[in-house]
Amino acid sequence: MERLDDLNKIISQYKDSPGQLIRILQKAQELYGYLPEDILGYIADKVGLPLSEVAGVVTFYSLFTTKPKGKHTISVCLGTACYVKGAPEVLEAIKKELAADMDQTTTDGLFTLTNTRCVGACGLAPAVLIDGEVHGRVKASDVPELIRQYRQRDQEGATTTEADTGIDTVTGKADRLKNHLPPTQAEPIIRPVLSPQRLEQIRHSYAARYIQRMHPDQVPDWVFQKADDALAAEPAAKLYRHQILVCAGTGCTSSRSVEIQSALRRELLARGLDGEIAVVHTGCFGFCELGPILVVHPERVFYCQVTPNDVPEIVERHIVQGQTMDRLLYKHPPEGASRNTIDENEFFHPQIRVALRNCGIIDPENINEYIASGGYFGLAKALTAMKPTEVIETITRSGLRGRGGAGFLTGRKWAYTAAVKETVKYVVCNADEGDPGAFMDRSILEGDPHAVLEAMTIAGYAIGAQQGFVYVRAEYPIAVHRLEVAIEQARRAGLLGKNILGTGFSFDIEIRLGAGAFVCGEETALLNSVSGKRGEPRTRPPYPAISGLWGKPTLLNNVETYANIPQIICKGADWYAAMGTSGSKGTKIFSLAGKINNTGLIEVPMGTSLRTIIYGIGGGIPKGKAFKAVQTGGPSGGCLPAEYLDIPIDYDSLMKIGSMMGSGGLIVMDETDCMVDIARFYLEFTQDESCGKCTPCRIGTRRLLEIITRITEGKGTMKDLDLLEELGHDIKEASLCGLGQTAPNPVLSTLRHFRHEYEAHIKEKRCPAGVCAALKPKGKYRIDGEKCRRCGLCVKVCPVQAISGEIRKTLFAIDAKLCIACGACAQKCPVHVIAQEGER
Amino acid sequence: MKIDLKRPIIPEMPPLTSAEVHTRSRSSHFFGPKKVRLEIDGRPVEIEAGKTVLDAAREVGITIPSLCYLREINEIGACRVCLVEIEGQRSLQAACVYPVAEGLKVYTNTPRVRKARKRVVELILSDHSRECTSCIRNLNCELQNIADNLGIRRIEVQGEAHQIPVQENNPSIRHDPNKCIHCRRCENICAKVQENCVIAAQNRGFDTIIAPAFSRDMGDVDCIMCGQCVLSCPVGALTEKECIDDVWKALADPEVHVVVQTAPSIQVTLGEAFGLPVGTKVTGKMVAALRRLGFNQVLATDFAADLTIVEEAYEFLHRFQAGQLPFFTSCCPAWIKLVEHHYPQFIPNLSTCKSPMSMFGALTRYTYHQERNLPKEKVVSVAVMPCTAKKYEAARLEHGYDGRPDVDYVLTTRELVRMIREAGIEFSELPDEPFDSAFREVTGAGTIFGATGGVMEATLRTTSWVLLGNGTGQNDKVQPAPIEFREVRGEKGLKLLHVNLGEYDIRVAVAHGTGNARRVLEAIQAGERIDFVEVMACPGGCVGGGGQPILGGRDHKKVSLDYRHDRADALYDIDSHKNLRYSHENPVVQLLYREILGHPGSELAHRLLHTEGYQERVK
């Protein structure tokens, strides 16, 4: 009954706001653990929707379940980075350990096993989530211990103690996260910003603190002057002796950066240093491979792979004694020389950060720090000094193209939406970053959420909209939390809502959560999902610019695109257009993952070569392995071999060689990766994520997958290769939306560049990389002596007389030298005690 | 006690625009008659803005194949069979949803287009239960037709196909998901036209299934069994539940006397299935065919329609006097089920009259065997109906007499077609034969029951005759009663009007399609005064019934839904040529009251011809 009361509260809270069915379902699932059919009937009744539609929504999104779950949900990340780093083996180990298959619950009701698509913890690959806690860098051999600890915890009835598995752990759920987060500093004081002048004042009073974190070269002199003035006027804005910045992005949070912050505060407090040393949690530095990351300002010393145990030593040696701790410094591969400061670090110094400019520098949960970094000045400029047409002009001239994948000219999209004469329009931010292996949008939302809010407000002004929606994946709890905080702070500051900056312009933003459907990254599917429906795309035209959300003109851009906007407005179109190549202006964020030393997030000018990224910033391939391919553009992109390492990457050059920019995922593969298997992996992903609306994608991708699976199992024919090519081509031609139109790309590009690997699988029944299980060299057979029944049936079927033993008298044994691994004995054995080596 | 039947006259009805499901406005409404010029396969076309490339191609005599497209009901471009090349577009585009635009250049027959279309159809076939020769839709299947037109000779990409148990719990509709091609026509006709939303897409991707919530059986949900999904299904995924075998069995039994009745609309639709033009009246051939199939007595339900009108008109007048309004017709079993499920508060407003089919059945049970001296249990009653829901109605306990259902077997028009074919009867060569003598007399009022507005019009004829003083013997007061009430006819989804009969003002509503029916009920709930409501659950009324012929085979450019109008015209034509056009003038009806029933609403009439009311249904 109590739960029903709660459910009623949830329903009445959301039911009058349009399209909130998904939110209601999410809350109901939190309440009940799953979505029982009768509860769905109740919800359908209350919100006035047909049950068939509600059930259709529930069964569309993979985060919803109508079956009760076990006490713990184990979710294995099967994103690309995790996949190439051994997630399949981990999954197998978990299946064995639980004796449960995918989407099954163990008989004792303790564990439910599921998989998840990229949670953006690529730096910690392979990642396993248990009840939302991310366990990073899990090895198959860790699995029994990991599960044992959960079992044990339950038996002891202890619910609070953390399992100390030696594996990096942290809570991932937003609510629990709040409990885990120590108060960074006192809640920021939010003052209403009613005019551009007031914005300027706030900037000045926080500037001193902000510039301490900047490289002196990056800060104009006048800012120093203003900061000095403000310091004189307002001693509260004092400078700290040191500011210790701790990464609080998903990656580092997973490796206990929260504990590091707490430990730092405790340590400083204990030594009475808390007044002069500030601990600030920031967004992602991008160097996820080496998390948790900690930077000490003003000397800009970069420490990595810090643990809570290192804290006393850091405080003692660095803060008190003023020495740098060599042990925690970055060592650049392969020679391993230490790099003291962030500026000397090869991972950082080739980067030019525009969209990521504030990540790792400001506290994302403090609007004042954003303002101090120049935040909301773009909005102020647009609202007070520019006409909407001038804003659009500027964006168009900057040459900014959509960072979501297709690369449409952003300014032109704005102009189309602005041109429609309608009083109600919407601005939507696509934060449904679904490409496995891409996590730049998550990072921006976690590290600099106000940049997105500011850009959306500018867009609202430019096109004539008053309402915005951010559609964000529910798999990104920290990003959702930061967005919520940012929206709340912006509203309190008057930077969202009515009469912004006293200009008479009004704009507000709401969050809508995704529920686990990759296709919702497609714009028309996203709009359906925002309005609470199944995320099925629809045909275009009409484009969302004409008829989008609830039939109204709607502007859609992704997070990274928006993150560039305030800077372009502030610094001008020419500044932005000066970066990049002729067709692709500005900078692009790439997420580097897979077989690369420095997994992480980088931002470089368009036109940077893959070689610079992989071997310079990325530090090359680990363990001295040879580079084989780099996959760009996620499931829609393609795999490029070494011969393309030197082409400057931008939208057009990638298109030309059969791949695409996509959202900027770069997954590096080495000689131990099988390209046929990689293509199969991507196809499995897209066909699983196909919405099922149009024929070519619903059935076609399934057929493609069946053919390629056949090949990886050694059952393919050369004709299958032609069929793959033909069918892939037809699916691209005939599909309704971008998902289907690009789904065959990984197959087509690997066929183009790695055809020999396909042929080896077919003609020689051999997987050159030794990945495809069915084609692995066959191990010899062995009899588990203890369990042998001494029946002797195996002896009779062995074609090479490799088995010896006396019926009913002795245990039987196989002579490995003679065994030809035909498997006849194993098939015959009535008690199944004969197995191939390598099997359990 | 004399009750004042006068009611205040409300001059203007507020418009209920949203209810007009069938208005053909499209965007031409907004753009006016603006035309655009485009080029299709090099030929210039001029067409109204707002139309699609598919429409434009038809203008130049090109039929672009399509499966999922259903005008104004399902325009989703999902099946991808209608792909065309459009200059300037990177990928191929779905012609059915691509709006025409000035200067557009379209190519409908290039190697690229043909290859893609073929591949799409091949993929559909690879996940389609291809038991064509034993499929109910064999030779009448849109997929089969397109596969043939496109010259599909082999399925190159074979693979896993769905194997989902066929759902058979619904007494009227059989659902075989393995034949479903995911065109979503059923889903959208159920949602947008009928607004019942019984079936919708469940799950995602390859696992998507068009089914009730949680993929439940269609018999376990609040389906009203109207069968519009069956009519709109291009293949054999949704079909009626056949009872042909049972009927053959009864016909073959020499001990059994089989009586068949045919609903008014059958005579104007049956011919279509045998290649006759839509709207051809085949009353005589139909009777001849039924006789050749071996039915002992072939009778017209139209007679019972007359009887229904008399009972219903008197029930209405009674309630009108007592102020127990609004009053709802009850001929349509799907409509009744809708009220039971979703508007139980209106159950008391439903007429207690059985439908003509059930009245006919009850009378058969009561008198027929006596007259012929047959053992009661040896009379089998069969009805040929345009309707899937009638199968369900026949099985309802409320419709029964002496513990036996009023009607034993209900055949849809389509099932009758199959029986005629199976028997090898050359339909077009049949002579015209009259119905058998019992209950042979029918009036035009009974005939128009088959079209939307027909029941209303027939009732108004008799009601006005009474209210205008006819039959009182006081001839000085008599005004001639009108015959035709043309305002209640036609395609408009919802008609609200007031009928002035002398000193009485009656406000009536006629709705077809349950979406429109919902609008009427909502209006009443909102306080609208409506006295008398006619609802037929199927758009167009019974002529558009879920049991009517589906013309999905070769050479049919339209779907069954497009034929309602012509079929209705044929019924009105029959009516206009009748001498007797008031139900109460039917001499057999009059005889029946004189000899057996006494008077309308008598105790026996209630026992035989009325139900005891309906109950709320949860499922």
Side-chain angles (χ1 to χ4, degrees):
Chain A
M1 263 333 276
E2 209 176 284
R3 283 198 298 191
L4 200 61
D5 288 344
D6 290 344
L7 182 63
N8 283 330
K9 266 183 229 149
I10 292 165
I11 293 171
S12 50
Q13 184 186 347
Y14 290 111
K15 97 180 162 111
D16 295 326
S17 152
Q20 286 281 36
L21 174 64
I22 292 175
R23 181 73 70 107
I24 292 172
L25 293 171
Q26 277 162 341
K27 295 272 176 192
Q29 181 157 306
E30 277 174 31
L31 201 60
Y32 290 88
Y34 69 111
L35 292 168
E37 290 187 8
D38 55 336
I39 293 300
L40 288 173
Y42 183 80
I43 292 173
D45 228 33
K46 287 274 176 181
V47 298
L49 287 173
L51 182 58
S52 62
E53 184 181 331
V54 173
V57 168
V58 167
T59 53
F60 185 87
Y61 295 99
S62 51
L63 294 185
F64 293 130
T65 171
T66 53
K67 279 184 274 178
K69 282 192 171 178
K71 189 168 174 193
H72 305 290
T73 302
I74 302 184
S75 194
V76 180
C77 178
L78 290 182
T80 323
C82 291
Y83 185 79
V84 298
K85 286 204 163 178
E89 288 80 33
V90 174
L91 178 61
E92 282 312 309
I94 296 176
K95 280 185 188 171
K96 259 185 197 171
E97 189 61 31
L98 298 181
D101 219 331
M102 192 56 81
D103 294 321
Q104 283 183 351
T105 301
T106 51
T107 42
D108 57 8
L110 267 186
F111 296 97
T112 300
L113 177 60
T114 66
N115 65 359
T116 180
R117 298 306 184 183
C118 193
V119 291
C122 308
L124 304 168
V128 174
L129 285 82
I130 304 184
D131 300 339
E133 290 175 32
V134 178
H135 298 260
R137 301 190 185 101
V138 178
K139 292 190 282 294
S141 54
D142 297 333
V143 167
E145 177 59 14
L146 184 63
I147 289 170
R148 192 193 60 76
Q149 296 216 0
Y150 273 85
R151 281 219 168 95
Q152 192 181 10
R153 221 200 292 183
D154 282 323
Q155 278 162 8
E156 289 163 2
T159 49
T160 47
T161 50
E162 283 288 324
D164 189 12
T165 55
I167 297 166
D168 313 328
T169 302
V170 88
T171 298
K173 280 196 174 170
D175 288 347
R176 287 216 261 149
L177 185 84
K178 283 171 204 158
N179 302 332
H180 271 71
L181 287 182
T184 43
Q185 42 255 346
E187 276 284 301
I189 301 154
I190 312 270
R191 296 167 214 171
V193 188
L194 301 176
S195 66
Q197 292 73 30
R198 188 74 195 114
L199 195 64
E200 193 84 18
Q201 285 166 11
I202 294 177
R203 177 181 191 176
H204 294 159
S205 44
Y206 286 88
R209 208 179 288 176
Y210 171 69
I211 58 178
Q212 194 179 32
R213 301 176 206 158
M214 304 298 288
H215 192 276
D217 296 350
Q218 293 168 317
V219 187
D221 287 341
W222 65 267
V223 177
F224 281 111
Q225 186 54 48
K226 292 280 188 187
D228 289 345
D229 295 350
L231 270 178
E234 200 174 348
K238 64 172 181 177
L239 264 178
Y240 290 99
R241 184 154 67 84
H242 289 289
Q243 297 189 76
I244 305 175
L245 272 57
V246 185
C247 177
T250 290
C252 289
T253 305
S254 306
S255 19
R256 301 159 82 186
S257 77
V258 174
E259 284 174 61
I260 295 170
Q261 287 175 61
S262 309
L264 271 170
R265 289 217 172 75
R266 269 200 310 274
E267 189 68 27
L268 292 168
L269 194 68
R271 291 167 180 262
L273 291 168
D274 54 312
E276 47 190 300
I277 314 291
V279 179
V280 180
H281 84 278
T282 73
C284 180
F285 288 84
F287 208 164
C288 307
E289 179 72 32
L290 297 181
I293 283 165
L294 189 147
V295 175
V296 185
H297 288 290
E299 52 273 56
R300 305 174 66 74
V301 169
F302 179 90
Y303 290 130
C304 51
Q305 291 180 312
V306 180
T307 69
N309 299 337
D310 297 327
V311 167
E313 198 183 341
I314 293 173
V315 174
E316 174 59 32
R317 287 197 38 208
H318 190 121
I319 304 297
V320 178
Q321 298 172 14
Q323 300 166 358
T324 302
M325 283 179 64
D326 188 63
R327 178 164 72 80
L328 297 175
L329 291 175
Y330 169 65
K331 315 280 189 299
H332 189 65
E335 67 276 15
S338 293
R339 303 285 186 258
N340 269 352
T341 69
I342 197 163
D343 309 298
E344 295 163 8
N345 188 323
E346 279 84 349
F347 182 80
F348 290 102
H349 72 66
Q351 295 194 42
I352 294 180
R353 297 184 147 212
V354 177
L356 291 176
R357 68 192 175 280
N358 287 327
C359 292
I361 292 176
I362 64 166
D363 175 356
E365 295 186 30
N366 187 341
I367 191 172
N368 298 321
E369 296 209 351
Y370 180 65
I371 293 171
S373 77
Y376 288 110
F377 279 78
L379 175 63
K381 183 176 173 185
L383 291 184
T384 58
M386 297 170 90
K387 290 196 212 103
T389 48
E390 288 169 343
V391 173
I392 295 172
E393 232 291 291
T394 306
I395 303 301
T396 309
R397 274 200 307 117
S398 76
L400 176 66
R401 294 170 67 170
R403 298 295 192 240
F408 193 78
L409 209 60
T410 305
R412 196 179 295 166
K413 207 182 215 179
W414 288 34
Y416 285 155
T417 323
V420 187
K421 287 185 178 50
E422 266 271 12
T423 44
V424 177
K425 295 182 187 178
Y426 297 106
V427 173
V428 175
C429 172
N430 182 348
D432 188 53
E433 183 175 52
D435 280 11
F439 47 98
M440 54 283 290
D441 291 352
R442 192 210 66 207
S443 231
I444 293 169
L445 292 175
E446 286 176 1
D448 197 16
H450 285 286
V452 176
L453 304 185
E454 182 185 356
M456 289 176 71
T457 313
I458 293 171
Y461 172 71
I463 67 153
Q466 281 86 46
Q467 180 65 51
F469 292 94
V470 183
Y471 182 82
V472 55
R473 302 177 78 196
E475 291 93 328
Y476 285 177
I478 299 180
V480 174
H481 170 70
R482 301 255 159 88
L483 259 178
E484 281 168 350
V485 171
I487 290 174
E488 175 57 26
Q489 291 186 354
R491 280 183 189 152
R492 273 164 61 203
L495 290 163
L496 277 179
K498 298 235 177 302
N499 192 16
I500 294 170
L501 292 168
T503 59
F505 173 68
S506 301
F507 191 80
D508 208 345
I509 295 174
E510 280 183 37
I511 298 175
R512 288 288 190 276
L513 295 186
F518 172 71
V519 68
C520 289
E522 198 278 342
E523 59 178 12
T524 57
L526 184 146
L527 295 176
N528 271 334
S529 189
V530 170
S531 47
K533 298 196 164 69
R534 288 166 63 85
E536 290 177 358
R538 61 159 175 80
T539 53
R540 299 174 302 184
Y543 288 89
I546 311 287
S547 172
L549 257 190
W550 296 294
K552 300 295 180 192
T554 302
L555 175 73
L556 257 144
N557 288 121
N558 91 329
V559 173
E560 188 185 340
T561 314
Y562 280 127
N564 284 295
I565 301 287
Q567 291 285 292
I568 294 172
I569 296 296
C570 280
K571 297 188 176 172
D574 298 334
W575 163 79
Y576 194 79
M579 296 181 284
T581 62
S582 66
S584 307
K585 300 295 184 192
T587 56
K588 175 77 192 89
I589 309 178
F590 293 99
S591 46
L592 262 180
K595 303 294 175 60
I596 184 119
N597 274 315
N598 299 339
T599 301
L601 213 55
I602 60 160
E603 185 170 357
V604 290
M606 289 278 189
T608 306
S609 75
L610 282 168
R611 190 180 300 279
T612 307
I613 294 172
I614 293 167
Y615 287 95
I617 301 171
I621 319 290
K623 298 174 193 160
K625 291 265 178 3
F627 170 91
K628 182 184 270 185
V630 56
Q631 213 279 348
T632 78
S636 319
C639 293
L640 303 175
E643 61 188 281
Y644 293 113
L645 276 175
D646 289 312
I647 64 147
I649 40 175
D650 63 18
Y651 289 102
D652 311 310
S653 63
L654 284 174
M655 211 61 147
K656 233 176 273 167
I657 51 177
S659 183
M660 63 187 281
M661 181 72 82
S663 51
L666 292 178
I667 313 276
V668 181
M669 332 252 173
D670 69 15
E671 56 192 297
T672 62
D673 290 309
C674 168
M675 299 317 286
V676 184
D677 184 60
I678 291 294
R680 190 202 54 77
F681 163 78
Y682 276 111
L683 209 52
E684 192 174 38
F685 176 86
T686 38
Q687 83 88 30
D688 193 45
E689 294 293 343
S690 164
C691 80
K693 181 174 176 179
C694 82
T695 311
C697 184
R698 182 183 68 249
I699 309 176
T701 56
R702 168 61 70 112
R703 298 292 173 252
L704 273 185
L705 178 65
E706 285 165 351
I707 298 169
I708 203 163
T709 305
R710 207 148 71 204
I711 295 172
T712 59
E713 289 170 350
K715 296 173 192 158
T717 63
M718 289 303 285
K719 233 182 115 195
D720 281 340
L721 293 189
D722 298 337
L723 195 54
L724 273 182
E725 221 155 14
E726 289 268 312
L727 181 58
H729 172 263
D730 292 340
I731 293 169
K732 282 173 70 111
E733 285 266 82
S735 290
L736 192 157
C737 84
L739 190 149
Q741 286 164 11
T742 56
N745 283 355
V747 178
L748 297 178
S749 76
T750 46
L751 258 178
R752 179 165 153 190
H753 300 303
F754 302 93
R755 199 181 175 92
H756 54 279
E757 291 200 23
Y758 281 85
E759 289 178 356
H761 282 73
I762 294 168
K763 288 184 183 160
E764 302 162 36
K765 309 284 175 217
R766 184 175 66 85
C767 173
V771 171
C772 297
L775 298 182
K776 276 187 183 159
K778 282 180 184 168
K780 308 289 170 132
Y781 280 82
R782 252 194 7 213
I783 299 174
D784 188 346
E786 298 290 298
K787 296 176 190 157
C788 175
R789 276 230 225 121
R790 311 173 195 198
C791 66
L793 286 174
C794 50
V795 178
K796 289 181 189 153
V797 295
C798 180
V800 290
Q801 284 85 41
I803 309 178
S804 58
E806 242 180 290
I807 294 174
R808 274 189 292 279
K809 285 184 185 153
T810 62
L811 295 171
F812 284 77
I814 300 173
D815 183 342
K817 281 185 210 124
L818 297 177
C819 175
I820 56 164
C822 69
C825 52
Q827 270 179 15
K828 198 75 191 171
C829 178
V831 285
H832 309 294
V833 300
I834 308 182
Q836 211 165 359
E837 267 163 24
E839 280 185 1
R840 185 165 68 154
Chain B
M1 192 178 66
K2 173 104 171 86
I3 297 167
D4 183 14
L5 289 178
K6 268 190 182 173
R7 280 161 182 267
I9 293 168
I10 301 167
E12 204 59 37
M13 281 275 190
L16 287 178
T17 46
S18 63
E20 292 169 25
V21 171
H22 302 290
T23 49
R24 301 233 158 188
S25 67
R26 267 188 104 80
S27 25
S28 58
H29 209 68
F30 303 101
F31 294 108
K34 196 190 155 201
K35 297 235 173 181
V36 294
R37 277 163 304 178
L38 64 155
E39 219 176 74
I40 294 184
D41 297 336
R43 288 163 197 281
V45 194
E46 196 175 68
I47 191 168
E48 267 171 56
K51 295 272 189 180
T52 65
V53 167
L54 190 84
D55 298 324
R58 280 300 304 144
E59 297 278 308
V60 285
I62 295 165
T63 300
I64 297 172
S66 69
L67 276 174
C68 67
Y69 178 70
L70 205 55
R71 183 182 300 282
E72 283 163 42
I73 296 168
N74 198 42
E75 302 179 340
I76 60 172
C79 74
R80 315 305 285 176
V81 170
C82 66
L83 291 174
V84 292
E85 237 176 281
I86 289 177
E87 213 168 89
Q89 289 285 347
R90 192 164 42 89
S91 58
L92 298 172
Q93 299 292 321
C96 70
V97 288
Y98 203 96
V100 291
E102 188 67 35
L104 210 63
K105 286 196 170 128
V106 182
Y107 302 94
T108 72
N109 184 24
T110 63
R112 193 177 157 208
V113 164
R114 285 196 305 269
K115 180 167 181 277
R117 285 183 190 166
K118 266 182 137 155
R119 180 69 82 190
V120 166
V121 174
E122 187 193 326
L123 285 170
I124 294 174
L125 291 171
S126 78
D127 183 30
H128 177 74
S129 166
R130 290 198 302 283
E131 44 178 45
C132 297
T133 47
S134 57
C135 178
I136 202 167
R137 294 290 295 271
N138 190 25
L139 303 181
N140 189 17
C141 166
E142 293 181 38
L143 177 60
Q144 198 180 40
N145 192 18
I146 284 174
D148 184 32
N149 284 347
L150 296 185
I152 309 275
R153 291 291 169 264
R154 67 201 163 111
I155 316 285
E156 200 179 16
V157 280
Q158 307 269 5
E160 185 197 341
H162 283 99
Q163 308 245 320
I164 302 165
V166 176
Q167 301 177 356
E168 307 222 50
N169 282 359
N170 188 307
S172 303
I173 298 167
R174 183 178 187 271
H175 180 205
D176 181 352
N178 308 311
K179 287 183 184 163
C180 177
I181 60 165
H182 295 72
C183 70
R184 319 275 282 263
R185 279 157 48 161
C186 55
E187 174 182 350
N188 278 307
I189 206 161
C190 193
K192 286 193 196 157
V193 178
Q194 302 299 71
E195 295 185 22
N196 292 327
C197 308
V198 170
I199 40 177
Q202 309 291 318
N203 307 331
R204 188 174 75 194
F206 192 70
D207 298 329
T208 307
I209 172 174
I210 313 300
F214 316 113
S215 309
R216 283 181 188 149
D217 193 292
M218 274 179 76
D220 304 335
V221 292
D222 55 359
C223 170
I224 62 166
M225 303 167 193
C226 65
Q228 287 300 307
C229 55
V230 176
L231 273 194
S232 60
C233 183
V235 295
L238 285 159
T239 62
E240 65 277 20
K241 276 189 97 168
E242 289 186 300
C243 60
I244 293 178
D245 289 347
D246 298 312
V247 175
W248 280 133
K249 203 171 152 195
L251 289 172
D253 188 341
E255 305 269 289
V256 166
H257 184 95
V258 189
V259 186
V260 65
Q261 55 167 316
T262 62
S265 63
I266 314 294
Q267 57 192 321
V268 297
T269 61
L270 184 64
E272 293 165 18
F274 297 100
L276 298 168
V278 173
T280 307
K281 296 178 278 283
V282 295
T283 323
K285 290 189 195 314
M286 172 182 76
V287 174
L290 287 164
R291 217 162 262 145
R292 278 154 186 72
L293 289 174
F295 289 99
N296 301 77
Q297 284 275 310
V298 183
L299 305 167
T301 311
D302 312 32
F303 155 76
D306 281 333
L307 185 61
T308 306
I309 287 305
V310 175
E311 284 294 321
E312 202 163 89
Y314 274 86
E315 187 185 355
F316 170 67
L317 287 168
H318 179 80
R319 293 209 200 189
F320 193 66
Q321 278 212 331
Q324 294 164 347
L325 296 173
F327 177 68
F328 299 162
T329 59
S330 61
C331 310
C332 173
W335 153 240
I336 288 181
K337 200 154 182 273
L338 177 82
V339 174
E340 287 176 320
H341 279 301
H342 300 291
Y343 300 92
Q345 67 272 34
F346 285 115
I347 288 175
N349 299 81
L350 284 167
S351 164
T352 57
C353 288
K354 289 181 181 175
S355 71
M357 175 187 89
S358 291
M359 283 196 182
F360 203 112
L363 279 176
T364 317
R365 292 265 185 267
Y366 186 71
T367 66
Y368 193 85
H369 62 98
Q370 291 174 350
E371 286 164 15
R372 283 172 184 70
N373 216 2
L374 292 163
K376 208 158 62 171
E377 63 282 3
K378 291 295 177 194
V379 176
V380 165
S381 179
V382 175
V384 182
M385 291 285 137
C387 183
T388 44
K390 287 281 173 193
K391 287 174 182 276
Y392 154 80
E393 178 190 319
R396 287 185 70 145
L397 287 178
E398 299 93 324
H399 300 268
Y401 178 74
D402 271 4
R404 227 180 130 181
D406 289 332
V407 171
D408 295 297
Y409 303 112
V410 175
L411 294 167
T412 60
T413 318
R414 296 189 291 272
E415 286 168 273
L416 176 58
V417 171
R418 284 172 214 136
M419 289 182 74
I420 294 172
R421 289 211 178 106
E422 189 175 351
I425 297 166
E426 281 300 333
F427 189 79
S428 57
E429 292 168 21
L430 286 170
D432 287 343
E433 292 181 8
F435 283 108
D436 283 305
S437 61
F439 314 144
R440 180 191 291 175
E441 290 293 344
V442 296
T443 73
T447 303
I448 58 174
F449 254 61
T452 174
V455 177
M456 178 61 71
E457 183 168 351
T459 315
L460 286 175
R461 288 180 189 177
T462 293
T463 309
S464 65
W465 184 84
V466 176
L467 286 179
L468 294 173
N470 301 276
T472 57
Q474 298 168 298
N475 287 335
D476 52 324
K477 282 189 179 177
V478 170
Q479 293 174 35
I483 294 180
E484 294 194 343
F485 292 82
R486 288 183 168 264
E487 309 84 348
V488 302
R489 301 180 184 177
E491 281 279 282
K492 200 174 158 198
L494 177 53
K495 284 151 279 187
L496 286 167
L497 36 119
H498 53 255
V499 179
N500 211 303
L501 299 173
E503 52 186 317
Y504 306 108
D505 176 57
I506 304 174
R507 299 172 63 91
V508 304
V510 174
H512 56 126
T514 51
N516 293 318
R518 286 166 187 266
R519 294 300 90 73
V520 175
L521 297 178
E522 285 158 11
I524 294 170
Q525 277 175 319
E528 189 77 57
R529 194 205 113 191
I530 299 174
D531 302 326
F532 188 7
V533 180
E534 178 213 281
V535 173
M536 298 194 188
C538 290
C542 306
V543 287
Q548 295 284 29
I550 300 169
L551 305 171
R554 187 181 280 290
D555 300 332
H556 284 286
K557 305 281 183 280
K558 297 182 185 176
V559 289
S560 184
L561 306 182
D562 297 328
Y563 293 122
R564 310 191 276 257
H565 194 71
D566 297 335
R567 292 167 174 172
D569 280 352
L571 286 181
Y572 286 114
D573 189 56
I574 295 174
D575 169 48
S576 70
H577 287 90
K578 291 270 187 189
N579 293 325
L580 298 177
R581 300 180 70 188
Y582 292 97
S583 291
H584 58 272
E585 289 178 347
N586 185 321
V588 187
V589 171
Q590 290 175 349
L591 181 81
L592 199 63
Y593 280 112
R594 262 199 321 273
E595 303 279 312
I596 302 173
L597 298 169
H599 58 85
S602 71
E603 198 218 337
L604 181 60
H606 261 277
R607 192 145 67 83
L608 287 175
L609 310 180
H610 290 252
T611 66
E612 284 167 15
Y614 300 96
Q615 283 170 13
E616 180 174 356
R617 279 164 198 272
V618 182
K619 188 170 75 184

